Amino acid sequence: MRFLESSTIYTYCGIVLVAVNPYKQLPIYEEAVIHAYSGQNMGEMDPHIFAVAEEAYRQMSREDKNQSLIISGESGAGKTATAKYAMRYFAIVGGSLSNSSVEEKVLASSPIMEAFGNAKTAKNDNSSRFGKYVEICFNHEYRILGATMKTYLLEKSRVTFQAKVERNYHIFYQLCASASLPELQGLGLGGLESFYYTNQGQCMRIGGTDDAADLDRTRNAFSLLGVSEADQLELFSILAAILHLGNIRLKKKSRHGESCFIEPEDKALELFCMLLGLETSQVSRWLCYHKLVTASETFVKPMSWQQVLDSRDALAKHIYGQLFQWVVSRINRSLRASEKPRASIGILDIYGFETFRVNSFEQFCINYANEKLQQHFNLHVFKLEQEEYVEEGIPWTFIDFYDNQPCLDLIEAKLGILDLLNEECKMPSGSDGSWAQKLYDQHFHHSLHFEKPKMHADAFIIQHFAGKVEYQCKGFLEKNRDAVHAELIGLLRASKSQLLAELFPEDCDGTISLRRSNGTRLTIRPSRKSLPGTNKEHRKPISIQFKASLHKLMEMLGCTTPHYIRCIKPNDFKRPFEWTYEDFFSRYRALMSHVELSGDDEKKSCRLVLERLLRDPSKYQCGRRKVFLRAGQVAFLEELRAKTLRAACMILQSNLRGWLGRRRFLLVRAAAVCIQRFARGLLARRLVGDLRRAKAAVILQKNIKMALARRSYLRIRVAVITVQAFTRGMFARHLYKVMVLHQKARVIQAAVRGWLARSHYARLRCAAVYLQCCFRRSRARRELKQLRIKARSVEHYKQLHKGMEIKVMQLQCKLDEQARENRSLLEQLSVLSTSHAEEVERLCGEMQQLREDKAQDQHIQGLQEQLQRMELEKRSSERRLCQELEQLKQRMTELEVAKSNLKEENDALNRRVLEQSKDVEEKMCQRLSVESRELQCELEEERSRYQSLVKEYARLEQGYENLREEVAFHKHTTGFRRSPSSDSILDSESSYQSGSTALSRDEPIQQIESPSQPLNQEKDPWRLIPEQYRASSDSTTSSLSSDGEQDPLKTCILLGQLNAVRKELVRTQEELHKTKAQLAHEDKKLLRPWYIAELFGLNRSPETMVEEDLKHAYDAVQVTNRLLEEQLQEQQQQHEQEQEGLQQDIRALKRLTWQQQSLIQDLQHQQSGDGLQCQIVQLKEENLELSEQLQRQERSKLKLQKQLKNYMKQIQDPAATREAIGGQRATPAEQERPLEVPYPSGPFQGMLRCRGEDEERLVRTIITDFQPQHIPGTLPTLPSYILFMCLRHADYCQDEHKIRSLLTAAINGIKRVMKKHSEDFNVVTFWLANTCRLLNCLRQYGRDESYRQVNTPKQNQHCLQHCNPASHCQSLGDLAIQIYQQLIGTAEKKLKPMIVAAMLESETIPGLSLARPSGSRRPQGAPAYTLDSLLLQLGAFHKMLKSHDLEPAIVQQAVRQLLFLISGTALNYLLLRRDACSWSQGVQLRYNVSQLEEWLRAEGLQQSGATAILEPLIQAAQLLQVKKTSEEDAEAICCLCTALSPQQVVKLLRAYTPAPGLEERVSPCFISSVEKHLAEQNPSGPCQLLVDTAQLFPVPLPFSHSPVHLDEICLPDGLNLTFLSRV
């Protein structure tokens, strides 16, 4: 009453603060109230949550001990609000001085945890579906430092299921309410009704709440805690993906739902995969399938419809659970204390006691936690307090209280409920029903707190401290395991979302419990070792983890001073409990009697019923307008009302069931009578049918026996005749075979006698050779002994004068340097001499010009003298003439002086220009060289980076192939067998889409062979230019030689083409005549009687034909004559029409031939070649049209012949027995011989037509099963040319899909061949050459003009017209790089075992091993490989590369890569083996390297850059031979070893082993000196010690022009390419 009148919701009950939920906001929590309670004692002010909080804060500061606030109560009692008010109090009273945002962050965690962990239930609008313990940390001044939060048992099942009037977690509704925000529009959110995970409870909104505003508060709290906007949006994307996951529609494949599937166009699936960055196909597959792993193999099995639903819901729950843990961890990270706290106050806000209509695993754990808290309360309030009174001797009357320890023993003791549950989870075939049975057997008769319900089979009842609760066993095991399929977790780990990858890390601390299909747990182990405790804890079931966390919580609470707050829920209506009389009357009308209902006063009726039911006036009060009840009375009235309604329902049910039973009985009786009537009629009809069938059976037996007897007789007669015919044939063949054997015996005798004579001669010759070899061997041994004696003396001399040899080698190095300088000076001298010669030529020219000027001056002087003479004659003035002459002489001398001065100045200027030009050229050359080196380095780096990407792509493609093999294996195990066509389709889908189609099947494509060359011309397949072109060009050159304005070569080529066209026309005309003759012959043949007789097997003589045979034949002929006459008439009409068309074609060809002759005659008078070229092109087009017409006619002819054969077969089938009787004279070869149809021989345009159904056959013939060694004399890259000619025809038909399909099938075929023959160097080289050739063909005949500059006119005519091969070139380039890398890998596998033995261990210089140090390890016996074997292997590799016509740049790069492997492996062996570093080893190594250089020069590879690759090995050999004592030696070593890194030089010096008695070990001072010089010389040089032999140099794919013309390529008959048609 105090609560109702003054809204005082707090009171004390001993040490416990009791709080009643007012269901409304009260003005008692303002900041002024907080300050009022701050610093006050607990009993001085009214009961309040702030008073308890202040008491805890004071005890912490006074006693320096941790405190705890334990808030308990049932669901909906207001525990969460109480905890928030307590946290708010501590945040204000204990606010941080240094950082004011700490308390704000502590308060900001509340809206986040409410959004992600609270939901609406039937009893509470904001129910916490998890437990939390917030520990607020304080420093030595008792100011807030930070806080930590621990959570317990999130109710994850609410994500996928909500009961009626309940809701999912608040965050989902907040997102949907704010879906219109710009940043959330890409999440695909809509109304709450559109999501399955939010509309199950049919309660979308809560009165008095604004979900959009709550989302703003949640986002602000995230921002305050340091969560960025990007992380928030990614978090919301995962939440939206969970909603879309629930909307994925599953469709059953069968009626029973044994398997199901997801449609690829499911929008919810697309949104889910888009938001999480997953592949749609993978998600749809692993939602419907699961993997079974056994000891030997793996199976993929489809799941039922219900299993898929459970798997989908488990995935949603698992994602939300991980997301919830991530949110808690981010909050703890933001609230983490910056220093070690001094004390703390914990606030425990855990779920209250719950009981619903259906209680499951979550309610069991919640009530178990409340039992533990109740035990803690009893322990501190009753047990410990009373025990302390007893110990102190204080008289005390013990208080009787409820001890719940037996209930806890029932739950957590040995063989308790949790123990049995965990044991059942470990069983592979464990189920909820078997677990329930174990509970009944163990506890039903042994525990007072355990009961078995009467109505439900799989359920049990526990007597808790708050009352009885019935739990349904369904779902306990599944929820306790908390498992999800491993394949789905793998998909989430492969997501592109960073947050999702953080939620499911690869190397997490613990393993994740996953679920198999049979119910057992599958543990995913991390890649790195985790903490033992963490792993062990995480692998446990949920119940064990929850039990352990509760024990830790109890231990933590036991270490603190507890303060109890009990929250009470006044009613279940979520409003202040007060009834109006009208509401009370309408609610409890069922409890009123007839007397109480008879009156009209509702107030009086309510009082009467309350007096009768409650009896105690203190339990209720009747006001003027309302009825007020104490706590607990409403529950009593509700229980009475429920019992009354239940009794009424039972009466209704009994009456209704009786009526339904009688009605069912009447229906069953009427149905039985009807069934009897119909059954009797059925039996009567069945008897009549049996009688009829018996009579019919007798008649059938009579006729069948007669037919069988006649058939048996005829069969025996036919068999006898057949046996006679075969017997006679057998005797004839036997006689013929004996004759053949005699003839062959004579041939064999002749061959054997010849062989015996030759073998006798060979034995004599071998004996003579053997004697010669023995004699030469003895002589060579004597010479070898002499040479060894000389070698020992020379070796002794070398040991005595070893220092001199080193000096000689140093002098030799200096001589080499001087030689290089001399060569450079000679080059400069040659350049100077060239410039000097040019200058001399220029000066000579100037002198010649001066001479000409002088001659002109002399001419002028003569003219002047004539003028002077004329002037003397006129003026008679000799003196003046003399003066003028003197003046002219002086002037000439001055001009000569000026000219000489100018010449000197010109020479000086020329010298300066030359010097300056040389300086500029040198600078420019240096600059260009530097820039070119930089660009080359950048190009090599880019190329190596790209090729590494190609290698990574190959690795991923291999993974894809493995996955595809797994899919194929799955299909094989499920009964599906893949055909070759399906294999090709799968292969084509790996690169391109499967939308590429071939030519239509309706187009009648026939294989037409055009014998363009006779057999005697096919002996030389490399002959590219036919002789007929040369003859035609020679015959026409003389006729056009007089025309000087036209290019002779071009004219010859045009005339040659014209003559070729003319010959093709003549050949076509001849084929037309042949075709016409053949058709006429066939027509006549069909009408001849002997031909028909031959077809029917009636061509025997009249003497041998019996009368019966003639009769049968006559009957057959009469039957088929009518059909034959009609069909032959139709065929004759068709042939006549075709003959008319052929005659018209012949006339057209004659006109065309006349036009060509006139064109040749007019060619001599034509001035320009453009018109001629146009006419030739036009003629070619007309010829192509005519050839196509001929082909169509030929196809129609073949079609008619096939129809005729079919008709004849139809005629022969009815008369099969008659033909057997009459016998057949014709042999099988004559009967089965096909008609020889001459194919038209039109001009071949370099194109091959391949039908769509023959693509797989083409790939199998020229790629998969192609063996080049079996077809000698062909082009090395013939498959690439064949494939390109097929591509040309597809381009000619403008069929882009066919081009892509052909290229995809070819690429996949090459990859399969590479995978099959990965260790065969010859096969890998062959397909590398073919891939490069196909790539170059696409470039050469493509649209890029830069590649077509070297093409001939004929090759330009063969260029692609419609297709752009740029994208295909990229794919082929990547394939070529992959094949090259496989080629290098194959060669490396063969070379690696040979390198060390051949380069370092084999003794190529005899006697050198004696100079090795005594402690060095010598190989046991002779090495497995020698230098000669290594050179032979390199030569074999190089020969294979050249034999397959591979580009020289690729060959040089491959040799360079292999020599890099040899150099790096030998150098690494020197660096790692101390006994290999000696003077003798250096001499041996230098000799071996020189042999490699000699091999490079012999093969013409000295300019490939391979010599530079061997430079480190050469310098290492020289380092082992040079002197190593003085400072000058150190400087010489630094100048010598430029290709070695400082670490390698120092390592070789330290590992150097001197010869005993001749050398001393290298001193440490010398090594330090060398290190110092190297550091000064190369301060930032490479720092590696060992050479990375796995490094691959980038390979170039240069363009190489092919001189081969496509129309001149011959296809060998051995390839069996008859299904390709030449176009």
Side-chain angles (χ1 to χ4, degrees), residues 92-265:
I92 294 176
V93 173
S96 175
L97 294 177
S98 60
N99 188 0
S100 60
S101 64
V102 175
E103 60 273 12
E104 295 179 1
K105 291 181 179 179
V106 172
L107 296 177
S109 63
S110 297
I112 297 176
M113 298 308 297
E114 287 184 8
F116 283 87
N118 289 21
K120 180 185 181 302
T121 62
K123 297 183 179 180
N124 188 3
D125 291 343
N126 191 26
S127 176
S128 297
R129 309 315 299 163
F130 70 103
K132 66 178 178 180
Y133 181 76
V134 181
E135 187 177 11
I136 303 175
C137 303
F138 297 86
N139 59 5
H140 63 283
E141 297 179 356
Y142 302 105
R143 299 291 182 182
I144 294 179
L145 283 175
T148 57
M149 180 186 299
K150 298 178 181 178
T151 59
Y152 305 95
L153 191 64
L154 176 69
E155 186 185 6
K156 293 190 288 186
S157 62
R158 184 167 292 273
V159 177
T160 60
F161 173 76
Q162 306 93 39
K164 196 172 183 180
V165 306
E166 293 189 358
R167 296 206 320 172
N168 206 330
Y169 289 104
H170 295 325
I171 187 63
F172 294 110
Y173 301 90
Q174 294 176 7
L175 283 176
C176 293
S178 305
S180 59
L181 294 177
E183 59 271 19
L184 301 181
Q185 289 182 355
L187 304 182
L189 297 174
L192 295 169
E193 298 83 1
S194 61
F195 293 107
Y196 175 72
Y197 284 164
T198 57
N199 62 6
Q200 298 180 57
Q202 300 178 0
C203 180
M204 308 301 170
R205 293 169 181 81
I206 303 175
T209 60
D210 187 359
D211 291 329
D214 291 342
L215 182 64
D216 292 337
R217 284 192 290 272
T218 303
R219 295 180 68 178
N220 294 333
F222 270 128
S223 302
L224 185 60
L225 291 174
V227 180
S228 63
E229 290 290 336
D231 290 344
Q232 294 182 33
L233 293 178
E234 199 165 1
L235 177 66
F236 296 153
S237 299
I238 297 177
L239 293 171
I242 294 175
L243 293 178
H244 292 302
L245 179 61
N247 282 4
I248 295 177
R249 296 184 178 273
L250 306 174
K251 293 194 175 182
K252 301 178 181 178
K253 291 184 179 179
S254 60
R255 186 175 63 181
H256 302 289
E258 296 177 354
S259 62
C260 60
F261 67 97
I262 303 173
E263 293 184 351
E265 59 272 9

Side-chain angles (χ1 to χ4, degrees), residues 187-351:
L187 304 182
L189 297 174
L192 295 169
E193 298 83 1
S194 61
F195 293 107
Y196 175 72
Y197 284 164
T198 57
N199 62 6
Q200 298 180 57
Q202 300 178 0
C203 180
M204 308 301 170
R205 293 169 181 81
I206 303 175
T209 60
D210 187 359
D211 291 329
D214 291 342
L215 182 64
D216 292 337
R217 284 192 290 272
T218 303
R219 295 180 68 178
N220 294 333
F222 270 128
S223 302
L224 185 60
L225 291 174
V227 180
S228 63
E229 290 290 336
D231 290 344
Q232 294 182 33
L233 293 178
E234 199 165 1
L235 177 66
F236 296 153
S237 299
I238 297 177
L239 293 171
I242 294 175
L243 293 178
H244 292 302
L245 179 61
N247 282 4
I248 295 177
R249 296 184 178 273
L250 306 174
K251 293 194 175 182
K252 301 178 181 178
K253 291 184 179 179
S254 60
R255 186 175 63 181
H256 302 289
E258 296 177 354
S259 62
C260 60
F261 67 97
I262 303 173
E263 293 184 351
E265 59 272 9
D266 193 338
K267 189 173 182 180
L269 177 63
E270 293 177 356
L271 289 172
F272 173 76
C273 297
M274 184 268 292
L275 292 174
L276 297 186
L278 304 175
E279 294 184 7
T280 307
S281 59
Q282 294 290 329
V283 174
S284 62
R285 170 176 175 79
W286 294 116
L287 276 176
C288 300
Y289 294 85
H290 63 92
K291 190 180 294 184
L292 296 176
V293 181
T294 62
S296 60
E297 52 187 347
T298 303
F299 300 94
V300 178
K301 183 180 180 182
M303 294 189 293
S304 64
W305 185 77
Q306 186 60 42
Q307 289 176 343
V308 173
L309 284 180
D310 295 340
S311 175
R312 182 195 67 182
D313 294 343
L315 179 62
K317 291 187 289 186
H318 193 67
I319 295 174
Y320 191 82
Q322 294 296 111
L323 197 64
F324 183 80
Q325 295 298 329
W326 181 83
V327 170
V328 173
S329 64
R330 288 300 298 265
I331 292 174
N332 288 333
R333 188 192 308 173
S334 178
L335 299 179
R336 188 182 297 124
S338 59
E339 60 185 55
K340 185 177 181 181
R342 183 180 181 89
S344 65
I345 297 178
I347 302 174
L348 178 63
D349 175 19
I350 202 165
Y351 14 63

Side-chain angles (χ1 to χ4, degrees), residues 1470-1471 1474 1477 1519-1520 1524 1533-1534 1537 1540-1552 1562-1564 1566-1575 1584-1585:
L1470 282 177
L1471 294 171
R1474 190 179 187 88
C1477 298
L1519 178 61
L1520 295 176
K1524 311 174 189 63
I1533 288 174
C1534 294
C1537 302
L1540 296 175
S1541 65
Q1543 287 76 10
Q1544 293 173 346
V1545 174
V1546 173
K1547 178 66 176 178
L1548 289 174
L1549 290 176
R1550 289 176 177 170
Y1552 182 80
V1562 181
S1563 63
F1566 181 83
I1567 296 176
S1568 301
S1569 176
V1570 171
E1571 283 183 325
K1572 181 179 179 181
H1573 286 293
L1574 290 174
Q1584 76 277 7
L1585 178 62

Side-chain angles (χ1 to χ4, degrees), residues 438-573:
K438 289 181 181 179
L439 289 179
Y440 300 153
D441 297 340
Q442 186 70 28
H443 301 291
F444 182 51
H445 298 290
H446 303 85
S447 177
L448 299 176
H449 292 267
F450 185 87
E451 298 179 8
K452 179 180 179 181
K454 298 179 181 179
M455 301 297 295
H456 299 91
D458 294 338
F460 61 92
I461 299 173
I462 296 180
Q463 179 67 45
H464 291 286
F465 73 94
K468 294 182 179 180
V469 181
E470 180 180 342
Y471 298 100
Q472 298 294 329
C473 296
K474 182 179 180 180
F476 260 72
L477 268 69
E478 191 70 23
K479 293 177 181 179
N480 188 38
R481 291 181 181 130
D482 192 23
V484 67
H485 289 307
E487 296 81 10
L488 296 175
I489 295 297
L491 289 178
L492 296 177
R493 286 177 178 167
S495 170
K496 300 176 183 178
S497 173
Q498 296 181 358
L499 179 56
L500 198 62
E502 187 177 350
L503 296 180
F504 301 94
E506 290 286 348
D507 49 351
C508 55
D509 291 338
T511 57
I512 298 177
S513 178
L514 301 177
R515 178 178 60 188
R516 290 182 179 172
S517 61
N518 54 5
T520 59
R521 286 192 304 118
L522 176 64
T523 302
I524 294 179
R525 300 188 178 274
S527 59
R528 294 184 302 177
K529 271 195 171 182
S530 57
L531 296 177
T534 307
N535 265 339
K536 185 177 180 181
E537 185 68 23
H538 197 74
R539 285 196 297 267
K540 295 177 180 178
I542 296 297
S543 59
I544 296 180
Q545 298 180 32
F546 185 65
K547 178 181 176 182
S549 62
L550 278 181
H551 281 290
K552 290 181 181 179
L553 177 63
M554 294 300 108
E555 291 176 1
M556 188 183 302
L557 294 177
C559 298
T560 62
T561 301
H563 302 271
Y564 296 99
I565 302 169
R566 179 71 175 180
C567 297
I568 297 176
K569 179 181 179 182
N571 57 70
D572 293 333
F573 301 99

Side-chain angles (χ1 to χ4, degrees), residues 36 156 193 522 695 715 1024 1104 1125 1133 1151 1281 1461 1483 1545:
K156 293 190 288 186
E193 298 83 1
L522 176 64
K695 184 177 180 181
R715 188 182 298 113
L1024 303 178
T1104 58
E1125 287 175 358
Q1133 293 176 359
R1151 288 196 300 271
Y1281 284 112
L1461 173 69
V1483 175
V1545 174

Side-chain angles (χ1 to χ4, degrees), residues 104 156 262 272 477 548 693 955 962 1002 1117 1165 1438 1498:
E104 295 179 1
K156 293 190 288 186
I262 303 173
F272 173 76
L477 268 69
R693 280 193 294 273
R955 184 185 65 80
N962 295 336
D1002 296 333
V1117 169
H1165 306 285
H1438 184 250

